[in-house]
Amino acid sequence: DGKGSPTPLPMRTTISLCFVIGADAFAITVLFPFINQMVARFFGLEDDTRTVGYYSGYLAAAFFIAQCSSSYFWGCLSDRNLRKRILQCGLFVSCISLILFGFSVNYWMALGVRIFWGLCNSNFPVAKSVIFLVTDPSNRAKGFSLVGLMWGIGTITGPTVGGLTSELIWVDTFPYALPCLISALLSCISLTLVTFVLVEPRKQTPATLPARVVRSKSLQKLKAKSKGLDVELTECVVESEAAAAGTAPSPACCSGSEVVSSGDYSTVKGA
């Protein structure tokens, strides 16, 4: 088709990031089916649904509020080529936080774990930045489509597993620990892949980009320069015509040259 075939996606990096995004989406949504029952159990408010909903909303939102407040810090840190370390930190904190959340003994412990987890977790935006760095314009759309796919799979399977596995074991003590342990296991697998498979991505330079992409970028710059040069030459010709007609001084671009009028066109002749 004249454009060449797309650059193949780096499979090792892509698989690692897919696990990271899927595990992150799973962990974020696994508590939704049982969060109301969990809060009611903490406060002994099985019949007061309004109060239960009030505290459940704060518990669910605590993670996202904390993550929003720390996202700028993690973004700046990731620009120092520390994306792999940030992913490792976020996944490790996810494992610990999920275990602590599943074994929480009261509401305030669960709330504190969610806040701590959100402050130390920036897996999703950092994973997207890695996808950008390891792809080029020919395969970037395919890479980001996998991001959306894995996020969708995680948000579907998370609540499903949370609803099916809650209150199966340790019913009298920690009935919601099992789904959290399953999610922690997925985060642990993702952490292993990031540690041993993912290579620290670097900022794209002409030395790291495919030759086809470098040529494309150089051609774009050349076209932009030639467009600006065409504008300058057009302005010079218009001013030269005016100078030849005696209605304006010789343009600066033609200083030291002779303006010659020929028919409907004017040319610039070297002195």
Side-chain angles (χ1 to χ4, degrees):
D1 56 1
K3 296 182 179 179
S5 59
T7 305
L9 288 172
M11 294 309 299
R12 296 176 59 184
T13 301
T14 303
I15 292 173
S16 302
L17 295 176
C18 284
F19 267 91
V20 171
I21 295 169
D24 201 47
F26 187 100
I28 290 172
T29 58
V30 71
L31 80 160
F32 290 160
F34 58 80
I35 187 171
N36 288 336
Q37 292 87 341
M38 190 179 197
V39 171
R41 184 184 181 90
F42 285 148
F43 290 105
L45 299 173
E46 286 79 2
D47 297 328
D48 191 351
T49 56
R50 182 174 181 178
T51 303
V52 168
Y54 178 82
Y55 284 103
S56 297
Y58 278 115
L59 185 59
F63 171 86
F64 301 101
I65 295 173
Q67 188 180 51
C68 180
S69 63
S70 64
S71 60
Y72 182 79
F73 166 77
W74 292 114
C76 293
L77 198 61
S78 69
D79 287 337
R80 300 183 179 182
N81 291 327
L82 295 174
R83 295 173 183 86
K84 181 175 180 177
R85 299 293 179 87
I86 293 174
L87 289 175
Q88 290 174 318
C89 175
L91 291 168
F92 177 76
V93 171
S94 294
C95 294
I96 301 300
S97 299
L98 284 163
I99 295 173
L100 292 176
F101 185 81
F103 288 95
S104 296
V105 296
N106 55 56
Y107 176 83
W108 304 111
M109 178 180 175
L111 182 66
V113 169
R114 291 280 290 177
I115 293 174
F116 173 73
W117 183 13
L119 288 174
C120 299
N121 184 292
S122 186
N123 295 338
F124 185 63
V126 173
K128 289 175 66 177
S129 71
V130 175
I131 287 288
F132 178 83
L133 288 176
V134 300
T135 57
D136 58 58
S138 69
N139 61 4
R140 187 160 293 145
K142 185 177 181 180
F144 277 103
S145 67
L146 292 176
V147 172
L149 174 64
M150 293 308 300
W151 183 263
I153 292 175
T155 55
I156 291 172
T157 56
T160 302
V161 173
L164 293 175
T165 59
S166 61
E167 299 183 350
L168 285 183
I169 60 175
W170 305 317
V171 177
D172 297 329
T173 52
F174 304 105
Y176 311 110
L178 181 57
C180 294
L181 288 175
I182 295 173
S183 184
L185 177 61
L186 293 177
S187 295
C188 185
I189 294 173
S190 300
L191 176 60
T192 303
L193 289 173
V194 168
T195 302
F196 296 104
V197 177
L198 182 67
V199 179
E200 176 67 54
R202 301 292 179 179
K203 186 176 180 181
Q204 289 182 333
T205 63
T208 61
L209 285 172
R212 173 170 52 81
V213 179
V214 174
R215 289 195 300 269
S216 176
K217 290 180 178 291
S218 300
L219 183 60
Q220 291 176 0
K221 292 181 179 180
L222 183 61
K223 287 181 178 179
K225 291 182 179 179
S226 63
K227 184 181 293 185
L229 183 60
D230 288 343
V231 172
E232 293 179 0
L233 289 175
T234 302
E235 293 177 351
C236 185
V237 168
V238 171
E239 293 177 358
S240 299
E241 291 178 350
T247 58
S250 179
C253 62
C254 301
S255 58
S257 302
E258 180 183 356
V259 180
V260 179
S261 179
S262 176
D264 294 333
Y265 300 96
S266 293
T267 60
V268 180
K269 183 177 180 182

